[in-house]
Amino acid sequence: MIDSSHLAARSRSLALHLLSRLRLRHLAWPLFAVAFWRYLVVYGLPYANDVVFLWLIAALIAASVHSGGRKGWLYVLRDWVPVMAVVWTYSLLRGYGSHTPWRPHYAPQLAFDKVLGFGETWTVRLQDWLYHPGRPQWYDYAAVTVYMSHFFAVFVILAVLWKRNRARFRHFLGCYLAITAIGFVTYVLYPADPPWLTALEGHMPAVSRVVSTVLDSSGLHRAGTVFENGSKFANDVAAMPSLHAAYPMMIALVFWPKAGRTLRVLLTAYPLAMAFTLVYGAEHFIIDILVGWAYAWAMVTLVNRFIARRAAARAVREAAAAPAVEPAPTVPVG
């Protein structure tokens, strides 16, 4: 028979051995998962820029701690807290930008879209054909998914690039900040009504905000708060340009040169799907989208040139600093 005291001793020894192999760093991901699950249960999915950033930073810290690096979490804070501060400041200024001394514009955008729509805007035409109040269709849910991806896509891509390629992270971040900055300046100088607000003021036929309506009817009221008025970050007249359209185009332009065929299909589909969603959902006029695409192209081009010039200047400095190689002496033959 096996001695029970010996068996207990062996069990304790095995438990201590397992605990000795378990490091605190192995708890990083489980703790993050529990915290995030708890947040989802209480508050639902995060949509505000600052909250999304906080969870991304937490995930990157968890990954750094789990990998065993002692200073990895410090690098996360070093690279991401300034980015979060800039985005939060922009969001706050964007809200204040709605209080400009000049009236918002709607007539030029409306006239342009009527020309493209042969006398009527494509928002009105699409909703007449496709929208069924109170009976959301599959494409309405697809539109919600595409629209809400605006609040995650850029930040998730930044997080992936930060882990895999810091140079591309800085490149992508530079494009994002440049487009965001010029968009804010335009919001201040040219406040513009979106189609739903233009219709609400009686300047065009009545239309519905499809995304917010579908979210409310689906019981996702937390997600619908991104459309509420009164927030210090809200700006209903920040329609020109459409950053919802500009960011997908930025993603396409940045990744296109090195993308394979499958990825290029996705890079093409995303901006087009977002454009359809914005027009169909009454969030933007077509001209807002075209200007957003133009801003994305201009800013990505400028950032690319800036990076290329810096690389060329660095190469010149390295060549000048390199010691000159003297030719080997010639040995006479014979």
Side-chain angles (χ1 to χ4, degrees):
M1 295 180 62
I2 300 177
D3 186 359
S4 60
S5 61
H6 180 68
L7 184 59
R10 290 195 62 182
S11 299
R12 285 195 299 270
S13 176
L14 179 60
L16 289 173
H17 177 70
L18 292 175
L19 285 174
S20 68
R21 293 181 62 86
L22 178 65
R23 301 290 187 267
L24 288 177
R25 64 186 179 88
H26 295 143
L27 298 177
W29 277 120
L31 289 174
F32 172 83
V34 170
F36 190 59
W37 174 81
R38 180 62 180 168
Y39 182 92
L40 293 178
V41 170
V42 176
Y43 301 104
L45 282 173
Y47 297 101
N49 285 345
D50 51 349
V51 179
V52 173
F53 255 80
L54 284 173
W55 282 112
L56 278 176
I57 291 173
L60 290 170
I61 289 176
S64 298
V65 171
H66 184 269
S67 65
R70 294 185 177 181
K71 296 184 179 180
W73 64 276
L74 291 175
Y75 297 143
V76 174
L77 297 178
R78 179 198 66 186
D79 291 344
W80 282 88
V81 169
V83 177
M84 179 180 174
V86 169
V87 173
W88 187 87
T89 302
Y90 158 75
S91 299
L92 187 61
L93 291 175
R94 181 178 181 271
Y96 291 141
S98 62
H99 306 292
T100 55
W102 36 85
R103 294 178 60 83
H105 303 274
Y106 71 89
Q109 303 93 279
L110 182 59
F112 184 90
D113 273 35
K114 281 187 173 181
V115 170
L116 294 182
F118 307 101
E120 188 54 87
T121 65
W122 277 104
T123 296
V124 173
R125 292 190 184 280
L126 289 174
Q127 291 201 7
D128 284 345
W129 296 341
L130 301 174
Y131 185 58
H132 305 281
R135 293 184 292 114
Q137 307 297 307
W138 66 267
Y139 46 80
D140 294 321
Y141 293 107
V144 170
T145 302
V146 172
Y147 184 90
M148 299 307 289
S149 69
H150 166 81
F151 301 100
F152 304 100
V154 169
F155 303 144
V156 171
I157 291 172
L158 281 171
V160 172
L161 291 178
W162 186 85
K163 287 290 292 181
R164 294 188 174 184
N165 190 321
R166 298 295 172 85
R168 298 199 77 183
F169 165 78
R170 290 188 290 270
H171 177 203
F172 191 76
L173 178 62
C175 295
Y176 168 72
L177 294 178
I179 293 170
T180 302
I182 193 173
F184 169 72
V185 172
T186 308
Y187 294 155
V188 174
L189 298 178
Y190 190 88
D193 288 342
W196 66 267
L197 188 54
T198 303
L200 198 63
E201 293 170 347
H203 304 302
M204 61 181 282
V207 291
S208 298
R209 298 188 77 178
V210 175
V211 174
S212 62
T213 302
V214 172
L215 285 171
D216 287 340
S217 66
S218 303
L220 298 174
H221 303 295
R222 169 72 178 171
T225 58
V226 298
F227 299 94
E228 289 180 357
N229 296 326
S231 167
K232 61 185 176 182
F233 298 118
N235 186 347
D236 287 339
V237 293
M240 171 71 77
S242 167
L243 292 186
H244 265 80
Y247 293 152
M249 181 57 69
M250 172 192 72
I251 294 170
L253 292 171
V254 169
F255 290 100
W256 187 272
K258 297 183 179 181
R261 181 177 301 177
T262 302
L263 182 55
R264 284 188 172 184
V265 171
L266 296 176
L267 293 175
T268 302
Y270 186 35
L272 294 178
M274 183 64 79
F276 173 84
T277 295
L278 297 174
V279 175
Y280 169 58
E283 297 296 334
H284 284 282
F285 289 106
I286 294 177
I287 185 63
D288 303 337
I289 295 167
L290 295 178
V291 173
W293 286 353
Y295 275 25
W297 175 84
M299 293 300 101
V300 170
T301 300
L302 288 176
V303 171
N304 287 346
R305 289 180 179 176
F306 175 76
I307 291 175
R309 288 179 181 177
R310 286 193 62 183
R314 189 184 307 113
V316 170
R317 289 195 302 270
E318 290 175 353
V325 180
E326 298 182 359
T330 355
V331 179
V333 179

